[in-house]
Amino acid sequence: MLRLKDICQLIDGEKRNGKGICLDAKYLRGKSSATIVEKGKFVYARDNIILVDGENSGEVFTVLQDGYMGSTFKQLWLSSAMWKPYILAFILFYKEDLRNSKRG
């Protein structure tokens, strides 16, 4: 039996200092301009991040540039053994269930 944790996991991202773009939801959706921050949890271009708080919990973004995740994000690690579009479709399909089952 394959468990969800075997194909994807939420991780914190790399804590780092130095100027970089804040990758918050509004910016990633194209609804605001870039904000520069001095430190945070760094992710690289092509990494996946997922909203873990608020009404849009479960929304996944593929980062187009290096930067710092917004405070309501976690980095989404996806196993290379699985087809990425399948995992993302699975998350989207069960988004409501995943949102309602989160703790803490």
Side-chain angles (χ1 to χ4, degrees):
M1 176 192 292
L2 189 64
R3 297 187 178 272
L4 188 57
K5 69 177 185 152
D6 297 327
I7 59 171
C8 65
Q9 293 178 16
L10 302 181
I11 55 180
D12 280 335
E14 176 187 331
K15 285 187 178 181
R16 190 187 277 191
N17 293 324
K19 288 184 180 182
I21 291 177
C22 179
L23 302 166
D24 62 14
K26 286 183 180 178
Y27 175 74
L28 292 169
R29 289 184 189 121
K31 298 186 185 241
S32 72
S33 55
T35 303
I36 303 298
V37 293
E38 305 262 340
K39 62 182 177 178
K41 294 179 181 176
F42 191 82
V43 291
Y44 296 93
R46 295 182 299 287
D47 283 346
N48 296 292
I49 61 177
I50 185 169
L51 275 167
V52 293
D53 192 21
E55 66 182 47
N56 291 314
S57 292
E59 187 175 359
V60 178
F61 296 90
T62 300
V63 176
L64 300 178
Q65 62 195 88
D66 296 352
Y68 295 104
M69 289 187 290
S71 62
T72 57
F73 282 98
K74 288 277 191 180
Q75 187 174 358
L76 177 63
W77 170 83
L78 302 174
S79 170
S80 60
M82 294 292 291
W83 190 47
K84 177 181 167 181
Y86 175 78
I87 299 171
L88 296 178
F90 179 87
I91 290 169
L92 181 61
F93 184 78
Y94 287 102
K95 183 177 169 179
E96 193 67 31
D97 292 333
L98 295 169
R99 181 184 309 138
N100 293 332
S101 69
K102 67 182 183 176
R103 295 180 234 138

